Amino acid sequence: MAASTNRYPDACTMVIFGASGDLTNRKLIPALYNLDVDGFLPKNFAVIGFARKPKTDESYRAEMYEAVKEFSRTKPIDEAIWAEFAQRLHYAQSDYGNPDDYEKLNERLREIDGAHDTKGNRLYYLATPPEAYPTIIEHIGESSLCKNFEGAWARIIVEKPFGHDLASARDLNTHTHKYFREEQIYRIDHYLGKETVQNILVFRFANGIYEPIWNRRYIDHVQITVAEDIGVGSRGSYYDHAGVIRDIIQNHMLQLVALTAMEPPVEFSADAVRNEKVKVLKALRVDTTRGDGTIRGQYGPGKVGKSLAQGYTQEEGVPPESTTETYLAMKVLIDNWRWAGVPFYIRSGKRLPKRVSEIAITFKMPPLLLFSDTMGQQIEPNTLALNIQPDEGISLKFGSKVPGSGENIRPVIMDFKYGTSFDVPAPDAYERLILDCMLGDSTLFTRSDEVETAWSLLDSVFDRWNSGSGSFIELYRAGTWGPKQADDFIKADGRQWRVL
Ligand code: BG6
């Protein structure tokens, strides 16, 4: 993939907007600390947290120590590394809407440049609720922050959700482009930072044997699953406006579709890769030959593993009459020469029996079933499963003769597991993505046209749902694989969901 490990990032200061929020505690600061542990953080580097709550540098450092202790990938904390790392952390109590606070931030940044020799390079990270993005972007752009030193760079990382439909995504793109050029904008989709997701392109394009069969001639269908056993937790009020379609499908799942289906790029550069992904997204269409092509569900009370789980409408922050979907299954088609007629079934939901994400490619049956008639046995199709998480690896299912004098055939699995093949732990997605941004490599970030094209596909779904001609919300018991209608949906095509 991108050459992060061969390059060393420039000196810089990262400004985290939303510095006392959940994302900062769970992901950002632990990722920075781990980059430091692995020796990837530039020597001249600092962080300044920008948020409303009153804190001093010292109290912020103490809080971040606890966050790293709890959420770091590497454990226990290396006290010597932490002691130095903590000195790079600073805090500025601020109001996102107050222009004076951006001027004060600029002064602090100049002091930090002096103290840490960070050369005026700035990485702004928007980790606030999305409602605050336009205000923050405008204040950065209108303040002295944008009058940067000669030769210094400024980049901005924007967390998802990037808009809530096509119109709002366009507005946010237009607004952001007023102050930042596209190549300065890094729209994050943390799935792209996962090793197994990056490996999709390596698997496809660094090996000669798969590409010739990676098309409608050999592939019967593709199933992509992102299943979670957790519920919405404390994020009920955000989630209720999003639903699984905005939370997971628009970004993570459509990215998985794009990486699975794209053509080989002409080179491994940010624009070449993203050009190919955009082409796939443009060719996507929800199949509406049966109903509206979607099955929507919402979890009711149930049991996940051994624990009792309350229903979605009993969750904190969720209105009792909510009709937001926490499960969605959808059949999409890709109208291009490689994929015409090959359905991609995608499904995602919360409070399913387990956390598992995979892409499964099911190949067509052999043209002549030499063995099935005589043996009266069901031969299963070959399936290649790219296991994204948690059991990272790739497996290929094929039929094999059961040893013995009979001619019995049984499916067997050829398995590759990251854990046993590589002796190195995978970095967290945020480590990879923050490092790439510091390096100025946007290959694993989404471009404006990519985000807009993904939204335009979903706008057609929203239109059908809003017009009342769409699928209904079906209730499913927490701890089950979604509503029964989802099984009927795929069965109607003579197929079934994979048992995971
Ligand atoms: C986030 C969603 O983008 O992805 C969450 O907002 C979801 O609702 C999470 O739980 C899943 O990420 P992962 O890495 O655990 O699969």
Side-chain angles (χ1 to χ4, degrees), residues 27 160 190-191 194 226 228 230-231 235 238-239 247-248 251-252 350 355 357 389:
K27 294 290 182 189
K160 67 168 260 273
H190 81 278
Y191 261 58
K194 290 182 191 276
V226 172
E228 296 188 279
I230 53 168
R235 299 164 72 223
Y238 146 75
Y239 194 90
D247 190 47
I248 301 268
N251 36 79
H252 309 328
K350 293 222 186 269
R355 174 175 185 254
S357 296
Q389 63 188 27

Side-chain angles (χ1 to χ4, degrees), residues 185-204:
I185 307 168
Y186 290 70
R187 297 174 196 79
I188 213 162
D189 181 321
H190 81 278
Y191 261 58
L192 296 180
K194 290 182 191 276
E195 279 293 335
T196 44
V197 174
Q198 293 167 48
N199 198 36
I200 299 170
L201 294 191
V202 174
F203 180 78
R204 289 190 56 200

Side-chain angles (χ1 to χ4, degrees), residues 61-82:
R61 288 168 187 165
E63 236 175 71
M64 291 305 109
Y65 180 83
E66 294 306 318
V68 170
K69 202 157 110 191
E70 188 171 354
F71 299 114
S72 167
R73 170 175 63 80
T74 58
K75 283 190 166 91
I77 293 191
D78 181 321
E79 296 295 340
I81 293 179
W82 172 263

Side-chain angles (χ1 to χ4, degrees), residues 225-229 347-349 352 354-357 481 500:
T225 305
V226 172
E228 296 188 279
D229 53 356
R347 59 174 170 166
S348 179
L352 301 185
K354 51 155 98 156
R355 174 175 185 254
V356 56
S357 296
W481 282 102
L500 298 174

